[in-house]
Amino acid sequence: MKGAFIQMGIVNHEKTDLHGITVHTIETKKYKTTSFILQIKQSINEKNVTKRALLSYVLQSGTKDFPSSKELRSALDDLYGATLNADLSKKGENQVISIRMEVANEKFLSKSEPVLDKAFHLLSQVLLAPALENGVFKENIVKKEKRSLKQQIESIYDDKMRYANKRLLEEMYESEPYHLNVYGNENEVDAITSKELFDYYQEVIMKDRIDLYVIGDISTKEMVEKVKKHFRFSENRNETVETDKQNREEKKISEVKEIFEEQDVQQGKLHMGYRTYTTYSDEDYFALQVFNGVYGGFSHSKLFINVREKESLAYYAASRFESHKGAVFVMSGIETGNYEKAVKIIKEQHEEIKNGNITDAEFEQTKAMINNQVLETIDHPIGLSEVLYHNVVAGTNRTIEEWIEGIQNVTKEDVVSVAKKVTLDTIFFLKGAGTNGNENI
Amino acid sequence: MGMKTFEQLDETLHFEELENGLKVYVLEKKGFNKTYATFTTHYGSVDNHFKPLGKNEEVKVPDGIAHFLEHKLFEKEHGDVFQDFSKQGASANAFTTFNRTAYLFSTTSDVKKNLTTLIDFVQEPYFTEKTVEKEKGIIGQEIRMYDDNPDWRVYFGLIENMYHHHPVKIDIAGTEKSIAKITKDTLYECYETFYHPSNMILFVVGPVNAQEILHFVKENQSQKSFKEKAPIERFFADEPPAVAKTEKIIEMTVQTPKCYIGFKEATPKRKGKELMRHELCVNLALEMMFGKSSPNYEALYEEGLIDQTFSFDYTEENGFGFSMLGGDTQSPDELVKRVSNMVEAFKQDNISTDSFERARKKKIGAFLRSLNSPEFIANQFTRYAFNEMDLFDVIPVFESLQASDVEEVLQNHFKKEAMTVCQVRKKKS
């Protein structure tokens, strides 16, 4: 054990650094299950983005002992329907693979079965003992998962909100890695060979930052022993997560980029991207949280009140932000003809905050809602692991109590100064061309 | 006041039916930060033909009115109730289904204050012509948002195919045309009939003291007066067992086609334990036929006919029931052919004990997992209660099922003449 870090309070979070992996244990009796969340982090880049996406598909499709999807799924079903899934997310300029497993707590089963140890073993095998043939990933798994990945990439086009969001990022971050789609590029998928993918996998195991969260009615000591037993990494492992320092100095904006695209949709999708020049580790991060809350995070926020309630222009009008890239995104579904009007109102609301026009009620409401939101998030095992994982991504050590206190201490002046930094960069509007989806037969 | 302990699950449920007929349930969840409360009426989009409370003539109301009413209850003379909740640190929401309308909040502070807000806003309607008109623009945009959503279109398309008359085939939000006919008077008429406390359930789950909450709610209700409770008369036209339409193709701007296959339940009249057994059996049958560990799933996935969007489900309520399965696919027609052959072949074969046991274990695990979620407990408990079932019976009922029970639903539910298909395909330019 290299070192332990214990955090008591709202959650009992204990952190143990082992060779190759950091174990985070949260002992709690709240749940009827035990959750495992593996987070595998590397910087996102053009060269590997598609391979990394494909890898997350391949790893959950078979292990050495259960070398096909069907066998692996049967093993999970036998473990009282343990769930296993891998997915991808972009956290700042990182492409994170999350492998999650959830298994019933033995004490709630009528026949007591040792599911926990089996689950531990299975999870470690998913990461460290994949299904191979001739020393590389099994060809037929790779082939199938390529198809699934391509379908996943294509499906973004069919969900117009996601599509508009993707297009906004491509335009806004044209020359930064953040523009990359977390699922990679469709036209690169076919060319990846099993060998290339396996070589890349070995690089992941040697270099990526790996964290494991275990949440449930567990004992830290026992879990750490199990990790030591099941998760063995090579002596030569050398963690190297590249960070692109240049991208911290974000580009200044001289002119707002406005992009229009037309499709046969009933409702126009308006997406606006702002740079904030503030990220999770910054001091004014809490002020940015409150800014986003006053602007568009809730149903009392300026966007909801003005775009929806006062003008009936939309069903949804909201903002959200990305903590590690430091961006605020506004989205609203509107009538195509109302574009100018909606954009004007959305911009005006930002100006209002810059000018300090925030009532005491909306300010206090926002803080109460953020407080509520974080406490609710940590009621859920995945939510809790995500909140804690922010610290790993940002290289900070913030406790949940500090987080809550940080929000409480924000003043209106703090929100005004952060609002002045927040700058509109790009507007993407997916316009409707008008007609209904035709029904045949 | 009643109390029921589910030892195996380590849960205790407290409940009471108040004088005015309101049923109140409280589940204490220690260790959680959040309290979640739902106030639900047994009234949804299918209840469009009924006898208004205290009247003799039956009425038919515009499509989408239950959902419209849900939106409008949030608006009061003093403003928007969403704001009242957020001032008290709670987030509120509501949703309308085929036969329920639920109002809810979650909070980590001021539980009683928020509970008062919830109960009072639902029990004090305030509709004016002006606010009703204003809402039409907002709901119009909500309808268009769903119109652009291919998953929603294919889901509803499939239900439309199944039913000749039953109002389950009507889109929950209605259409821009149907909601144009809604007035404040029709809203009040629906409200008076369906929002009587005796038609409603209040469910509170979180780190609360159950006795205290029950007492508090009783106090609130004792200060209000309600009309005498009377049974609600709802009318549904006779629905034949066969599907109305066997196939539909919807063209939209998508890249990947979507295909769903549905089986319409011929006798959806069950209640209580019988309904629970039946629902769980059909879901077990689906799991055994098409679950991720089944040979069929493996074959379809390998042939490239399905991807990770593939899913299935069975649902039944009073008067309608259907199973559906499908997802994104490059070859919808081929998928339909393969799936229907697989169903037929499965019906011919004997059920293997192994796969029955595995499916059951999987379902029990999934159920335990969902009990981590206060939202699931409150919403599902209410749905079950409206159908005279008890959510906490799920595990014992699962444990009492036999392979032969599944055999029976296989033969009775998955019939060729009960099958229908809906596809979303790429629009030709």
Side-chain angles (χ1 to χ4, degrees):
Chain A
M1 199 183 296
K2 280 204 260 174
F5 168 77
I6 308 176
Q7 182 185 312
M8 299 289 282
I10 300 179
V11 291
N12 301 331
H13 171 210
E14 227 170 302
K15 193 169 112 183
T16 312
D17 290 317
L18 299 176
H19 175 64
I21 188 164
T22 300
V23 190
H24 306 253
T25 43
I26 294 101
E27 299 179 7
T28 168
K29 292 194 192 304
K30 273 160 84 164
Y31 308 116
K32 301 220 163 9
T33 56
T34 307
S35 301
F36 302 89
I37 298 118
L38 261 175
Q39 303 275 38
I40 307 157
K41 181 171 79 90
Q42 187 55 269
S43 59
I44 192 164
N45 63 57
E46 194 90 54
K47 187 172 136 245
N48 292 329
V49 65
T50 312
K51 266 189 266 183
R52 190 172 181 83
L54 181 58
L55 180 64
S56 76
Y57 279 72
V58 167
L59 289 180
Q60 60 172 320
S61 303
T63 65
K64 189 166 137 261
D65 296 343
F66 305 107
S68 72
S69 204
K70 180 171 170 287
E71 287 162 285
L72 179 57
R73 293 290 151 188
S74 299
L76 289 162
D77 290 357
D78 286 336
L79 281 177
Y80 275 89
T83 58
L84 171 75
N85 63 71
D87 73 16
L88 294 152
S89 62
K90 210 160 37 168
K91 296 185 194 303
E93 299 201 314
N94 296 293
Q95 188 183 12
V96 178
I97 299 178
S98 306
I99 302 177
R100 305 194 183 97
M101 191 162 174
E102 197 173 345
V103 55
N105 184 331
E106 296 151 28
K107 85 173 187 204
F108 298 110
L109 304 173
S110 4
K111 286 173 268 177
S112 174
E113 294 183 35
V115 291
L116 190 67
D117 198 62
K118 284 187 186 163
F120 233 110
H121 179 67
L122 195 56
L123 180 68
S124 69
Q125 297 276 298
V126 168
L127 181 67
L128 298 173
L132 305 181
E133 105 199 321
N134 307 324
V136 297
F137 288 123
K138 273 182 82 172
E139 190 61 41
N140 82 339
I141 290 183
V142 174
K143 196 175 127 213
K144 268 188 292 184
E145 297 311 318
K146 279 181 177 175
R147 198 166 52 209
S148 270
L149 177 60
K150 281 196 289 187
Q151 280 168 352
Q152 169 65 43
I153 299 170
E154 279 178 7
S155 75
I156 297 170
Y157 178 86
D158 300 344
D159 179 337
K160 301 307 171 194
M161 256 184 257
R162 279 176 68 204
Y163 174 75
N165 182 56
K166 173 177 176 267
R167 290 285 299 115
L168 173 73
L169 298 189
E170 284 168 359
E171 295 291 342
M172 179 166 167
Y173 298 107
E174 213 180 349
S175 54
E176 294 157 67
Y178 197 73
H179 80 271
L180 293 168
N181 177 5
V182 77
Y183 293 104
N185 300 312
E186 193 182 351
N187 55 16
E188 289 173 12
V189 177
D190 281 332
I192 301 170
T193 65
S194 297
K195 165 118 186 27
E196 272 169 5
L197 190 66
F198 188 70
D199 289 345
Y200 176 68
Y201 160 74
Q202 286 183 307
E203 209 178 299
V204 166
I205 296 300
M206 293 300 282
K207 286 184 172 172
D208 285 18
R209 159 87 195 211
I210 302 174
D211 291 82
L212 172 65
Y213 294 81
V214 188
I215 303 170
D217 192 1
I218 47 148
S219 117
T220 294
K221 211 173 137 215
E222 194 190 330
M223 291 305 114
V224 170
E225 286 314 308
K226 283 192 197 292
V227 177
K228 279 188 195 159
K229 182 172 129 201
H230 292 296
F231 287 83
R232 298 225 171 128
F233 293 88
S234 152
E235 290 287 318
N236 303 326
R237 186 182 136 87
N238 184 13
E239 188 177 303
T240 18
V241 179
E242 288 145 34
T243 45
D244 199 338
K245 286 276 180 250
Q246 277 176 342
N247 288 314
R248 291 280 302 144
E249 300 296 318
E250 283 207 56
K251 88 166 209 213
K252 295 280 174 278
I253 302 145
S254 47
E255 201 182 335
V256 176
K257 197 165 161 184
E258 227 176 343
I259 308 284
F260 298 97
E261 215 176 280
E262 198 174 284
Q263 270 188 27
D264 187 3
V265 289
Q266 294 284 308
Q267 183 182 64
K269 311 288 183 221
L270 172 62
H271 287 238
M272 299 166 70
Y274 297 74
R275 288 181 193 263
T276 72
Y277 309 97
T278 294
T279 62
Y280 190 86
S281 55
D282 290 317
E283 286 207 6
D284 59 356
Y285 173 75
F286 297 113
L288 180 62
Q289 280 266 4
V290 178
F291 165 81
N292 180 63
V294 172
Y295 193 35
F298 302 103
S299 60
H300 70 266
S301 305
K302 290 186 184 292
L303 294 182
F304 189 87
I305 296 293
N306 290 284
V307 180
R308 171 171 153 147
E309 295 298 305
K310 287 204 181 137
E311 299 288 340
S312 297
L313 288 179
Y315 171 65
Y316 67 93
S319 69
R320 63 178 181 87
F321 73 101
E322 209 288 337
S323 291
H324 302 287
K325 182 64 184 167
V328 166
F329 302 110
V330 168
M331 62 231 91
S332 184
I334 55 169
E335 195 87 30
T336 295
N338 285 333
Y339 173 78
E340 299 289 343
K341 199 171 166 190
V343 169
K344 184 167 164 270
I345 297 171
I346 292 167
K347 285 181 175 168
E348 277 166 7
Q349 301 317 307
H350 182 199
E351 289 305 314
E352 287 288 299
I353 305 177
K354 282 200 217 171
N355 295 329
N357 292 328
I358 307 166
T359 65
D360 289 342
E362 60 186 337
F363 188 63
E364 290 311 319
Q365 249 167 285
T366 300
K367 284 184 170 185
M369 291 302 279
I370 294 173
N371 192 37
N372 189 41
Q373 209 171 40
V374 71
L375 287 172
E376 284 192 13
T377 305
I378 63 173
D379 266 348
H380 192 278
I382 292 176
L384 174 57
S385 75
E386 289 290 332
V387 169
L388 296 172
Y389 191 59
H390 277 310
N391 281 320
V392 174
V393 177
T396 49
N397 240 333
R398 224 172 247 159
T399 64
I400 292 181
E401 284 82 354
E402 283 167 344
W403 209 98
I404 289 168
E405 205 185 301
I407 294 291
Q408 283 321 310
N409 291 338
V410 171
T411 64
K412 274 193 201 171
E413 290 70 42
D414 297 336
V415 176
V416 171
S417 24
V418 91
K420 285 179 179 157
K421 284 167 67 184
V422 172
T423 314
L424 180 60
D425 182 302
T426 301
I427 303 176
F428 178 83
F429 188 49
L430 183 66
K431 299 202 282 187
T435 52
N436 266 312
N438 291 327
E439 291 188 13
N440 295 339
I441 301 183
Chain B
M1 185 167 350
M3 201 171 104
K4 210 169 163 187
T5 305
F6 305 93
E7 229 164 87
Q8 196 188 342
L9 295 172
D10 198 11
E11 302 282 9
T12 304
L13 182 70
H14 300 255
F15 61 90
E16 186 163 355
E17 185 172 331
L18 308 186
E19 259 171 57
N20 62 20
L22 177 66
K23 293 177 193 72
V24 189
Y25 295 87
V26 187
L27 188 73
E28 295 180 1
K29 274 275 187 191
K30 297 213 170 60
F32 276 75
N33 298 306
K34 162 164 73 182
T35 296
Y36 181 78
T38 58
F39 194 18
T40 311
T41 162
H42 193 187
Y43 165 56
S45 63
V46 301
D47 301 301
N48 62 351
H49 186 186
F50 58 91
K51 211 178 263 180
L53 187 67
K55 291 191 184 158
N56 293 320
E57 305 263 303
E58 50 193 79
V59 295
K60 278 193 173 171
V61 288
D63 294 349
I65 195 164
H67 170 258
F68 202 101
L69 207 168
E70 172 228 297
H71 270 239
K72 275 338 295 167
L73 266 190
F74 280 93
E75 194 159 329
K76 300 292 172 218
E77 200 166 3
H78 75 272
D80 187 351
V81 182
F82 275 121
Q83 311 308 322
D84 301 343
F85 281 109
S86 66
K87 272 176 208 151
Q88 294 158 195
S91 44
N93 214 333
F95 61 85
T96 307
T97 71
F98 296 128
N99 41 26
R100 280 178 294 148
T101 312
Y103 301 85
L104 57 98
F105 72 82
S106 65
T107 189
T108 54
S109 59
D110 282 337
V111 172
K112 285 184 189 163
K113 242 196 228 168
N114 284 304
L115 203 51
T116 305
T117 306
L118 176 70
I119 299 170
D120 290 353
F121 102 79
V122 174
Q123 292 187 331
E124 290 159 14
Y126 170 78
F127 308 134
T128 68
E129 286 306 344
K130 198 175 153 226
T131 59
V132 167
E133 283 316 306
K134 194 204 77 179
E135 203 66 23
K136 290 178 182 172
I138 295 172
I139 295 181
Q141 284 304 320
E142 187 179 2
I143 291 170
R144 290 188 175 207
M145 181 177 85
Y146 282 107
D147 280 347
D148 282 339
N149 183 326
D151 290 304
W152 184 256
R153 295 283 299 273
V154 74
Y155 172 71
F156 250 95
L158 191 69
I159 298 173
E160 271 169 25
N161 280 2
M162 286 187 231
Y163 290 90
H164 297 263
H165 312 295
H166 197 284
V168 67
K169 68 178 189 170
I170 299 165
D171 197 313
I172 291 169
T175 62
E176 286 180 89
K177 228 168 145 183
S178 75
I179 63 169
K181 293 184 220 138
I182 294 173
T183 64
K184 80 173 197 329
D185 296 330
T186 45
L187 287 177
Y188 273 117
E189 192 161 65
C190 291
Y191 181 86
E192 295 300 335
T193 307
F194 293 107
Y195 282 71
H196 191 278
S198 60
N199 194 40
M200 300 189 71
I201 288 179
L202 179 71
F203 199 104
V204 182
V205 47
V208 293
N209 178 317
Q211 309 291 343
E212 226 179 281
I213 296 289
L214 284 170
H215 183 77
F216 185 76
V217 174
K218 229 163 148 174
E219 192 59 36
N220 173 294
Q221 291 298 281
S222 69
Q223 289 163 17
K224 298 178 189 172
S225 61
F226 298 92
K227 288 190 181 151
E228 265 308 292
K229 62 180 170 190
I232 300 170
E233 279 187 73
R234 313 168 199 234
F235 304 98
F236 297 99
D238 274 342
E239 178 66 35
V243 298
K245 224 176 191 182
T246 54
E247 195 185 16
K248 177 175 354 196
I249 294 170
I250 303 167
E251 293 192 349
M252 293 180 74
T253 43
V254 296
Q255 283 191 336
T256 315
K258 290 177 191 291
C259 175
Y260 279 82
I261 298 147
F263 290 90
K264 178 180 176 182
E265 173 65 30
T267 54
K269 303 278 179 200
R270 299 172 188 85
K271 275 191 182 315
K273 274 247 166 89
E274 195 199 349
L275 174 56
M276 181 179 284
R277 284 178 71 90
H278 183 72
E279 255 191 4
L280 298 182
C281 274
V282 182
N283 275 310
L284 277 174
L286 286 165
E287 184 63 46
M288 288 161 70
M289 281 192 283
F290 295 106
K292 281 191 172 172
S293 60
S294 67
N296 287 338
Y297 183 93
E298 186 183 44
L300 295 172
Y301 197 87
E302 233 155 69
E303 289 161 35
L305 288 173
I306 59 171
D307 63 14
Q308 293 181 352
T309 60
F310 182 81
S311 68
F312 48 80
D313 188 37
Y314 177 74
T315 183
E316 181 181 325
E317 309 254 349
N318 186 26
F320 64 91
F322 47 82
S323 50
M324 46 173 57
L325 58 159
D328 291 359
T329 179
Q330 296 297 343
S331 325
D333 291 334
E334 182 62 20
L335 178 64
V336 172
K337 210 168 93 196
R338 295 282 284 130
V339 165
S340 76
N341 288 342
M342 283 169 168
V343 170
E344 284 309 310
F346 200 84
K347 280 158 72 177
Q348 306 305 321
D349 263 0
N350 285 330
I351 290 181
S352 97
T353 332
D354 265 11
S355 88
F356 174 74
E357 283 307 330
R358 182 175 296 139
R360 170 159 54 192
K361 271 188 174 177
K362 179 175 181 180
K363 290 287 179 188
I364 290 176
F367 179 73
L368 281 175
R369 199 160 55 244
S370 29
L371 292 184
N372 284 343
S373 157
E375 292 88 340
F376 173 87
I377 295 174
N379 295 327
Q380 288 306 308
F381 186 92
T382 303
R383 172 182 173 261
Y384 275 56
F386 284 148
N387 290 290
E388 297 165 26
M389 299 186 276
D390 188 333
L391 178 72
F392 295 100
D393 284 339
V394 166
I395 292 186
V397 170
F398 262 130
E399 284 171 346
S400 75
L401 293 176
Q402 316 262 329
S404 57
D405 298 318
V406 175
E407 192 74 57
E408 203 183 308
V409 309
L410 266 175
Q411 306 304 333
N412 294 332
H413 176 70
F414 296 95
K415 287 194 169 138
K416 268 228 148 108
E417 61 271 26
M419 189 178 122
T420 180
V421 173
C422 184
Q423 302 179 8
V424 164
R425 287 206 192 161
K426 188 173 180 170
K427 192 171 199 165
K428 295 171 198 96
S429 46

